[in-house]
Amino acid sequence: MKLLLTVSACLLSLSLCCQTGDARVLVIGIDGTRPDCLEAADTPSLDALIADGIYSPDALNNDITYSGPGWSAMLCGVWSDAHGVTSNNFVGSDFDGFPSFMRRLELENPDLNTHSICHWSPINDYILGEVVDEAINAPTDAAVRDAAVSILDNGDPHAVFLHFDDVDINGHGYGFNATVPQYIGAIETTDGYVADVMAALTDRPDYAQENWLILVSTDHGGIGFNHGGTSIEEETMFFLASGNAVEPAVLLKDTLDILPAPENCVAPGSAELRFEGSGDAVVIEDSPALQLGVNQDFTLEVRIRTQATSDVAIIGNKDWNTGLNPGFVFSFEYPNGPAWKVNIADGNERADANGASGVADGQWHTLSCSFDRDGMMRLYTDGVFSAEEDISAVGDIDVGSGWFFGSDILEAYSYTGALSEVRFWHGVLSEEAISAWHCSSLDASHPNWESLQGHWALTEGAGLEVSNSTGSGLVGTVQGAEWNQPEGIITFDYSNTPRIVDVAVTALDHMCLTLEPDWNLTGISWVDGCSTTDVARLDRSTIKTTLYPNPGTDQFQITGLSPNATIEVFDPAGRPVHSAQPGSSTHTVPHTAGRGVYLIRIVDGEQRRTLRWIRH
Ligand SMILES: [Zn+2]
């Protein structure tokens, strides 16, 4: 009864998808082949298969990158947590629970002719030898080619697995790298064997009626002279599915360029000018436009990011050796803060007032001060009023030495930190205007726009000139201070590229086996075979879920997942740091992994989704 049901299901599938026909599959495994090296090598035969196939140079074996676990995953369609192989001695294997695709083909239809020819004998000894109709352990890659050609010339094979080993051997001997001639040479030699095998296949008398799928892949990459670790060089592999029924496509990882987390008042990714003391400064040469005399009301603003509260000159026009010297300066309360302060003097009279404490916390803060020359100077910290002081007794504050950002006019009292957004207005800005604009970029809708005399954003990012956006001269010169461009984080998203476990499932789908849920296959099919849930009809990113809080600190919640879904969390360096079934929807990420962009990979049956979570 069960057999009858299976047969009718298969007939139904045949009538639906029409492309299976006399389905046959050739799986070519090339051990230890890095896709970037495959790209570097001259491989006309594989290139022809790629041109007719679905190809990904960004496929992954992101499990154990040794040959035993790798070939087990490829041939069985499950990861090591299921097939049980964790090293090349195959201890712990469960090929009864998770059979190879060859065994599933033989179980479904013993009349299929199955062959496995391997240079690395453990594949036959442990996985395929007792399963297929013919298993050959070949002493060389050339012997693998010879046996394959003979079977294709003379036999009636339905499923063939070939294993070539020389690429891996040369990687171990000379290095897994595109600059290594022996390694590249081995790839090119293997391509020649593939050419011979493909010639034998396409020369078959009934080739036109036979529906061949050719799958080519590798078990792992390599780095230096080895593999077995979790570097991307070891985990990246290629996946190729080629044949008459395949829609050609190239599947690439997504590259995400993520800017640094936004900072208070500063656009993410903005360049900043760093002052490291020792006279580092921006100098605005003296000009009539800088003169303030006895009566000119004015307002000054600057954004600072610092962790020091010493007696420095942040911006000013005076010799800061004594507060009585003529001129103005933004500084810190003598001798070491914690409040920031403003001093103004004419040589005889001085006035001083403190702003808020807490601005030297390494974050951006805006310091503003309006000077009503026959009244008060008023200090604002991040747009909030801090203090005021009578300055009506202070007379002429012009010095004639220009203005300095980051030191006083003698290049002393040097500031350590970053500065930006220096604004110089004529007139007294209102509390409302200062509050509303302290954290914004300037534009003509500012109520005092017409009174803006100088605006140095200090975001040039390079060079020794800082421009004044009002266009009225007053260009600054950078002395010693250095530009710092915050680096974005490049993250790669492999959500939609194949995995090594997809090889077996793609083969089974092409061969029109019904993929039973209780087989617990992890891979998915990349061809339009008989399965109704292959990738041609299934977006891997269909899991609907919510992740919060994002950004977060130690924990995130994830909702909407089925109880069978698994979650893997990768830190910004790509290392797995957490994995779980959802059960509890709360996940805690260890602190050692640091800040940055985490990838959260969710697998739920054949559906996958990768989410990004920012830890700050
Ligand atoms: Zn290997």
Side-chain angles (χ1 to χ4, degrees):
M1 197 57 197
K2 188 163 187 288
L3 181 66
L4 276 176
L5 278 174
T6 308
V7 168
S8 62
C10 192
L11 287 174
L12 183 65
S13 306
L14 280 172
S15 65
L16 277 177
C17 53
C18 313
Q19 296 187 336
T20 50
D22 182 8
R24 300 179 187 229
V25 64
L26 167 64
V27 180
I28 301 174
I30 308 176
D31 208 299
T33 308
R34 282 175 52 152
D36 58 329
C37 300
L38 179 58
E39 175 70 34
D42 184 18
T43 54
S45 181
L46 288 167
D47 292 349
L49 288 169
I50 289 169
D52 274 340
I54 291 173
Y55 176 69
S56 178
D58 294 325
L60 290 180
N61 170 9
N62 53 345
D63 191 19
I64 304 170
T65 57
Y66 287 113
S67 294
W71 294 113
S72 300
M74 183 190 292
L75 295 168
C76 301
V78 293
W79 297 112
S80 62
D81 60 346
H83 63 61
V85 179
T86 56
S87 74
N88 288 351
N89 66 18
F90 287 80
V91 169
S93 65
D94 182 12
F95 297 129
D96 290 330
F98 298 91
S100 65
F101 80 94
M102 286 288 203
R103 184 158 162 202
R104 293 197 187 278
L105 291 176
E106 286 288 354
L107 288 169
E108 177 82 8
N109 181 0
D111 293 339
L112 294 176
N113 298 321
T114 55
H115 306 261
S116 172
I117 306 152
C118 297
H119 186 176
W120 193 57
S121 58
I123 297 172
N124 278 335
D125 297 347
Y126 294 101
I127 313 176
L128 296 177
E130 292 181 3
V131 171
V132 294
D133 297 315
E134 181 186 30
I136 299 171
N137 285 335
T140 63
D141 279 0
V144 172
R145 181 265 321 266
D146 293 343
V149 167
S150 169
I151 289 163
L152 290 164
D153 280 349
N154 308 311
D156 186 23
H158 296 94
V160 179
F161 175 72
L162 306 180
H163 171 268
F164 293 104
D165 209 16
D166 285 350
V167 174
D168 187 66
I169 290 169
N170 280 276
H172 287 293
Y174 303 100
F176 291 87
N177 197 293
T179 62
V180 174
Q182 293 89 342
Y183 185 64
I184 296 297
I187 294 173
E188 293 175 348
T189 302
T190 305
D191 186 71
Y193 299 145
V194 171
D196 297 338
V197 170
M198 286 307 300
L201 186 137
T202 54
D203 283 349
R204 290 175 56 75
D206 294 330
Y207 173 70
Q209 287 75 50
E210 295 168 351
N211 176 18
W212 281 95
L213 175 70
I214 297 99
L215 288 161
V216 191
S217 192
T218 185
D219 54 337
H220 52 74
I223 187 166
F225 295 84
N226 244 309
H227 54 84
T230 56
S231 72
I232 202 65
E233 290 85 354
E234 291 159 288
E235 291 190 347
T236 305
M237 43 164 284
F238 69 94
F239 174 96
L240 166 59
S242 192
N244 298 330
V246 176
E247 275 299 309
V250 176
L251 306 165
L252 299 175
K253 69 191 177 207
D254 288 328
T255 303
L256 308 162
D257 195 351
I258 297 165
L259 291 170
E263 296 182 278
N264 187 33
C265 300
V266 170
S270 295
E272 64 180 31
L273 190 55
R274 293 277 319 169
F275 299 76
E276 302 293 352
S278 309
D280 285 4
V282 168
V283 182
I284 316 294
E285 270 190 50
D286 199 41
S287 153
L290 295 178
Q291 286 173 15
L292 300 164
V294 179
N295 296 312
Q296 178 66 53
D297 292 343
F298 65 104
T299 301
L300 289 171
E301 302 182 276
V302 61
R303 289 183 192 154
I304 67 169
R305 182 164 75 172
T306 184
Q307 293 182 298
T309 55
S310 49
D311 184 32
V312 295
I314 302 170
I315 57 174
N317 71 338
K318 71 190 288 176
D319 167 4
W320 185 219
N321 196 36
T322 157
L324 266 182
N325 286 339
F328 66 86
V329 68
F330 284 30
S331 181
F332 286 96
E333 186 182 6
Y334 184 80
N336 284 306
W340 71 279
K341 69 170 285 179
V342 175
N343 161 274
I344 184 169
D346 60 11
N348 297 305
E349 296 288 339
R350 65 182 283 176
D352 300 81
N354 290 335
S357 302
V359 297
D361 60 355
Q363 306 296 314
W364 285 104
H365 292 283
T366 303
L367 316 181
S368 308
C369 187
S370 63
F371 301 83
D372 177 3
R373 303 297 297 282
D374 56 4
M376 297 292 195
M377 68 173 174
R378 292 171 59 88
L379 282 65
Y380 302 83
T381 309
D382 291 321
V384 176
F385 175 70
S386 296
E388 62 182 352
E389 183 69 24
D390 189 341
I391 59 169
S392 58
V394 177
D396 189 351
I397 58 170
D398 287 336
V399 180
S401 298
W403 289 11
F404 281 64
F405 309 157
S407 77
D408 78 353
I409 58 170
L410 301 176
E411 297 172 21
Y413 300 93
S414 296
Y415 164 83
T416 303
L419 295 180
S420 73
E421 199 62 21
V422 182
R423 300 172 181 172
F424 166 37
W425 313 83
H426 276 174
V428 173
L429 265 58
S430 70
E431 181 164 0
E432 293 71 30
I434 287 172
S435 172
W437 289 84
H438 81 277
C439 209
S440 311
S441 52
L442 277 185
D443 62 48
S445 64
H446 191 290
N448 302 86
W449 181 249
E450 299 298 330
S451 307
L452 185 64
Q453 304 299 305
H455 172 223
W456 302 271
L458 306 183
T459 53
E460 278 81 359
L464 297 179
E465 261 192 16
V466 294
S467 63
N468 165 18
S469 73
T470 69
S472 58
L474 302 180
V475 172
T477 304
V478 178
Q479 296 186 355
E482 301 223 351
W483 294 105
N484 180 31
Q485 184 79 51
E487 281 185 24
I489 304 161
I490 305 251
T491 300
F492 299 115
D493 182 356
Y494 291 83
S495 303
N496 298 309
T497 67
R499 299 293 178 271
I500 193 170
V501 291
D502 295 347
V503 174
V505 179
T506 301
L508 289 169
D509 186 29
H510 175 76
M511 295 299 286
C512 208
L513 264 65
T514 303
L515 306 177
E516 302 290 351
D518 66 1
W519 292 357
N520 291 311
L521 293 168
T522 310
I524 63 173
S525 170
W526 289 91
V527 298
D528 192 9
C530 292
S531 167
T532 53
T533 51
D534 58 29
V535 77
R537 294 167 214 158
L538 178 76
D539 179 357
R540 270 190 166 176
S541 305
T542 50
I543 298 173
K544 299 276 184 288
T545 186
T546 305
L547 172 73
Y548 65 96
N550 191 12
T553 48
D554 338 278
Q555 285 191 337
F556 60 82
Q557 314 264 330
I558 196 153
T559 62
L561 299 183
S562 84
N564 295 323
T566 58
I567 291 173
E568 275 182 290
V569 181
F570 299 89
D571 73 8
R575 296 172 300 216
V577 291
H578 170 78
S579 66
Q581 302 264 128
S584 153
S585 63
T586 302
H587 297 268
T588 304
V589 180
H591 258 294
T592 48
R595 307 199 305 181
V597 179
Y598 285 66
L599 288 184
I600 300 168
R601 180 169 162 80
I602 304 163
V603 178
D604 191 355
E606 288 197 343
Q607 297 179 304
R608 285 110 214 279
R609 186 163 177 204
T610 301
L611 302 170
R612 281 161 288 283
W613 180 66
I614 296 172
R615 163 182 266 173
H616 62 190

